């Protein structure tokens, strides 16, 4: 098994023009036992585990509300040459004989966050850390082409990770980007909310109650162009009001909500079904309300 893993790593590294650990000339960045620390930043909006990598920058596990866990490296100055890098989980030097475990390859960019891993790979790193292993990213140096190794220390990881798990369990179901602009669809001639509509609105309520910087909620009712304009205006008002009334029934202050009815004035599509809607837009303090020309297909009023 160990030989097969080594051959796999050798094949991956060779295809990327890299040399595996243990080679001379490789620049290695990583915290030692004496200076390995993990710091937890926690709120209902986001949980982050941050590890300082001396001489390089930071390694961060980040979990935003409504999203999956991700991992990234952050460096103030470019160290790795952009291209394909190799990610493994390996034993520290004081545990000889433990074969490294491949995680996969990763695209290394030239930004100050050159390495991003998705949820699956981030969980592999977490599992390795909990087993006392060190995640390591290897890529050619920006300057001389020699291998650069960035190691993430497992020392002092356990207790902050337990606190992270508690934080993750208390995250909101959604984040601001996900519900800043939301849409409730309606059947023809209908102004009734479905169970999925109420779930979406419940998520908006939970977010707004947690984020005190939200100062406005714009609720805009729309219809298709079937029927008379007078009837459509009344129906769009009914659709906006049913959404606003539900938000208020769940604890949102009436003072936050601005209700507007547009009838069939601002179609979002040539498809009638996509125009039968109520949109909800959140606005935070300091955000400048967007101005949108709302005429023709594809346009829509602010909100």
């Amino acid at each position: 098994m160990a030989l097969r893993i080594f051959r796999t790593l050798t094949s991956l590294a060779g295809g990327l023009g890299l040399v595996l650990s243990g080679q001379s000339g490789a620049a290695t960045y990583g915290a030692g036992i004496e200076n390995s620390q993990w710091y937890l930043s926690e709120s209902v909006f986001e949980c982050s585990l941050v590890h300082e990598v001396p001489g390089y920058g930071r390694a961060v596990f980040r979990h935003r509300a409504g999203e999956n866990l991700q991992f990234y490296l952050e460096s103030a100055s470019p160290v790795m040459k952009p291209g394909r890098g190799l990610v493994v989980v390996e034993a520290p030097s004081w545990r000889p004989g433990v074969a490294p475990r491949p995680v996969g390859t990763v695209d290394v960019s030239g930004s100050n966050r050159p390495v991003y891993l998705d949820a699956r790979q981030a969980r592999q790193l977490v599992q390795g850390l909990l087993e006392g292993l060190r995640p390591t990213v290897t890529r050619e140096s920006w300057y001389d082409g020699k291998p650069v190794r960035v190691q993430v220390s497992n020392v002092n990881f356990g207790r902050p990770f337990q606190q992270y798990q508690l934080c993750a369990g208390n995250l909101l179901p959604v984040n601001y980007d996900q519900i800043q602009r939301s849409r409730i669809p309606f059947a023809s001639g209908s102004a009734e909310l479905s169970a999925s509509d109420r779930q979406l609105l419940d998520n908006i309520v939970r977010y707004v109650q947690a984020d005190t910087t939200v100062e406005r909620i714009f609720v805009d009712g729309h219809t298709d162009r079937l029927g008379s304009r007078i009837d459509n205006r009344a129906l769009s008002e009914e659709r906006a009001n049913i959404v606003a009334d539900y938000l208020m029934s769940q604890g949102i202050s009436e003072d936050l909500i601005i209700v507007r009815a547009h009838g069939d004035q601002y179609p979002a599509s040539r498809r009638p079904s996509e125009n039968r809607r109520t949109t909800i837009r959140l606005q935070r303090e300091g955000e400048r309300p967007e101005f949108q020309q709302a005429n023709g297909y594809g346009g829509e009023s602010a909100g």
Side-chain angles (χ1 to χ4, degrees):
M1 174 65 74
L3 179 60
R4 186 166 59 199
I5 292 175
F6 179 78
R7 286 173 175 170
T8 299
L9 291 171
T10 302
S11 176
L12 284 171
L16 297 171
L18 302 174
V19 182
L20 288 175
S21 61
Q23 77 284 15
S24 60
T28 300
Y29 299 90
I33 297 176
E34 72 287 350
N35 63 348
S36 176
Q37 297 294 331
W38 288 88
Y39 304 96
L40 175 67
S41 174
E42 56 184 325
S43 72
V44 295
F45 307 109
E46 180 179 315
C47 308
S48 295
L49 270 176
V50 180
H51 172 63
E52 299 293 335
V53 181
Y56 177 81
R58 306 192 307 167
V60 181
F61 288 99
R62 185 190 188 200
H63 194 162
R64 292 186 72 197
E67 298 180 4
N68 292 320
L69 175 68
Q70 62 176 206
F71 170 87
Y72 62 86
L73 293 178
E74 188 172 72
S75 179
S77 59
V79 175
M80 298 180 181
K81 182 180 179 181
R84 298 290 282 174
L86 178 66
V87 185
V88 302
V89 177
E90 61 187 12
S93 58
W94 58 87
R95 291 180 59 185
V98 179
R101 192 160 66 216
V103 174
T105 59
V106 63
D107 288 321
V108 177
S109 73
S111 71
N112 66 338
R113 291 183 179 178
V115 173
Y116 269 95
L117 299 184
D118 60 20
R120 181 185 63 84
Q121 292 177 315
R123 285 192 291 268
Q124 287 180 273
L125 266 57
V126 168
Q127 185 60 39
L129 288 164
L130 292 174
E131 293 174 8
L133 305 177
R134 293 188 304 196
T136 302
V137 179
T138 305
R139 173 61 189 156
E140 291 180 29
S141 165
W142 183 286
Y143 303 102
D144 58 15
K146 293 181 180 179
V148 170
R149 290 162 41 81
V150 179
Q151 296 180 331
V152 180
S153 173
N154 64 289
V155 178
N156 298 319
F157 177 75
R159 184 177 295 275
F161 181 72
Q162 290 178 349
Q163 296 171 332
Y164 155 80
Q165 289 180 301
L166 294 175
C167 175
N170 292 318
L171 285 171
L172 294 171
V174 292
N175 60 56
Y176 185 70
D177 294 338
Q178 292 171 330
I179 49 93
Q180 181 186 10
R181 291 181 179 273
S182 303
R183 177 181 179 275
I184 300 291
F186 290 95
S188 181
S190 171
E192 295 185 4
L193 297 174
S194 68
S196 61
D197 296 335
R198 283 188 282 271
Q199 182 177 2
L200 170 61
L201 294 174
D202 287 342
N203 286 341
I204 292 175
V205 169
R206 287 187 63 184
Y207 183 87
V208 171
Q209 289 176 333
D211 188 349
T212 58
T213 67
V214 175
E215 63 178 6
R216 292 286 186 274
I217 304 175
F218 295 94
V219 178
D220 291 82
H222 302 268
T223 69
D224 57 31
R225 286 183 169 173
L226 303 177
S228 71
R229 285 209 155 183
I230 293 177
D231 290 342
N232 286 341
R233 178 59 183 263
L235 180 57
S236 69
E237 185 174 4
E238 186 179 0
R239 286 172 173 168
N241 282 331
I242 195 172
V243 170
D245 290 344
Y246 186 86
L247 292 174
M248 288 186 287
S249 74
Q250 300 305 304
I252 298 297
S253 171
E254 182 178 1
D255 295 338
L256 288 179
I257 301 174
I258 296 176
V259 178
R260 301 180 292 195
H262 306 284
D264 57 18
Q265 188 176 3
Y266 301 121
S269 169
R270 289 182 170 83
R271 298 179 180 178
S273 61
E274 295 182 6
N275 295 324
R276 300 189 291 262
R277 69 204 190 277
T278 290
T279 60
I280 305 103
R281 179 171 66 84
L282 308 185
Q283 180 181 303
R284 283 170 162 169
E285 295 172 2
E287 289 181 343
R288 298 184 61 183
E290 296 179 11
F291 176 81
Q292 295 177 302
Q293 185 65 36
N295 53 10
Y297 292 103
E300 184 169 337
S301 63

